[in-house]
Amino acid sequence: MRQNCVEEDWINQLPNEILITILSQLSFVEAARTCVLSKRWQYLWTYVKALDFEFPKKLMMMRRIMMMEVLKSEPKAAVGEKIPEYVYVGWVNRVIQLHQGPYITDFKVNFRLSHKNSDDIDEWFNFAIGKSVQRLEVNLLGHTTHAYPDYIYTLPDNFCSLIKTPRGLSCIKTLAQLSLKSVNVTGEIVEHFLSYCPLLERLCLSFSTLLVHLKVTGSSLRLKSLEISHCMLLQTVDIYAPNLASLMCVRFAQHSRVVVRHAPSLVDVSIGHSFRFLRDLVAFSSCFTQLESLTLCINLSSDYAAPVRFPKLTNVKNLTFLAHDRQLWSFVYWASVIERFPILHAFKLQMPKNVTLMPDSI
């Protein structure tokens, strides 16, 4: 006797809440594609909590095709980034308009934008904060992090005022990660986030010309990772953070000063233009006894020799020198530093291409 096999559509029998949870396990682009499955699925993706606007491969292909068409009639200089900006900004704006969820876990933007998009970016920040975002990453450098940006977005006054209102304070208290690249932000605003975001564990700031003085201080700070780079007007960073485990401060002006007064959990440090920092390291050496990994970005032309009283760091297992000078022979004046790491397991020296092994006079 033959039995008829009936395939049950058990997925569509699930409640929307479970379907949205399933969609949340997909990438954002994949979740959005489910809108074509049926009328019920058409807007389910608009409740997804993780919004990661990584430029998809299909949009990259669209960018190339559109630029090729434009280049037939326009010179290359006239095209610039006009086409990809339009496509990317339109994509983000459309998602924001359609999103129906009460809150989001992630809002990640990663694209090189210009001053023409400042109003749109204003709305993105307001949207993310209004949805009580947990992880906010705005990278306006895109994937070209090696070049100084032509445009640095500045957080508007109304946003800075919003996060200080009762509603704004309620929204930012869920923030656990904050990454701002090519975004101008003052020390006052960063310190506001540190004070009123009790869950904040990771902070990354890059290419801000308004960051001059910064205090990362507080006995109750939950912060575990701090990255600051390419803030050329930064003068002082004062750190008192009991839970800080990873610190990266690179590409500052030579006069910048990073002082770590208290960081008992600190195990990984990367520091650039480091001579001033190393002098402070001598003064505050008790804060670095637990270090396990140290990366020094040095310019062998100006940081021509290690500090005489370089502290002995007995727990460091990994030491890396990133030299920005092509004269490898100058490193001989830093070689004695290695003796200050008695249990060193790995040593790495990274130099730029076309290094000079010996000076011309030798």
Side-chain angles (χ1 to χ4, degrees), residues 26 36 45 59 65 89 118 138 150 152 165 226 246 256 288 300:
L26 305 175
V36 300
W45 68 272
L59 283 181
I65 293 171
V89 172
S118 58
V138 178
D150 299 321
I152 300 179
T165 64
L226 174 63
S246 176
S256 302
F288 299 92
L300 294 175

Side-chain angles (χ1 to χ4, degrees), residues 40 116 176 303 321 331 339 359:
R40 182 190 179 191
K116 299 176 183 178
D303 300 335
F321 277 87
F331 180 73
E339 299 175 357

Side-chain angles (χ1 to χ4, degrees), residues 55 58-91 111-114 116-117:
F55 206 53
K58 285 191 175 181
L59 283 181
M60 289 293 288
M61 292 175 61
M62 186 189 306
R63 167 186 174 176
R64 295 190 187 100
I65 293 171
M66 295 175 72
M67 291 187 71
M68 287 175 63
E69 291 297 321
V70 175
L71 285 171
K72 291 179 181 179
S73 57
E74 295 185 47
K76 186 175 181 179
V79 178
E81 293 187 356
K82 177 174 58 179
I83 299 301
E85 278 185 12
Y86 171 79
V87 174
Y88 187 87
V89 172
W91 175 39
F111 199 84
R112 193 177 184 92
L113 298 176
S114 71
K116 299 176 183 178
N117 311 116

Side-chain angles (χ1 to χ4, degrees), residues 12-30:
N12 276 320
Q13 295 177 16
L14 297 173
N16 285 350
E17 292 76 11
I18 294 180
L19 293 179
I20 293 169
T21 300
I22 294 173
L23 289 179
S24 298
Q25 306 306 310
L26 305 175
S27 72
F28 175 60
V29 174
E30 291 171 337

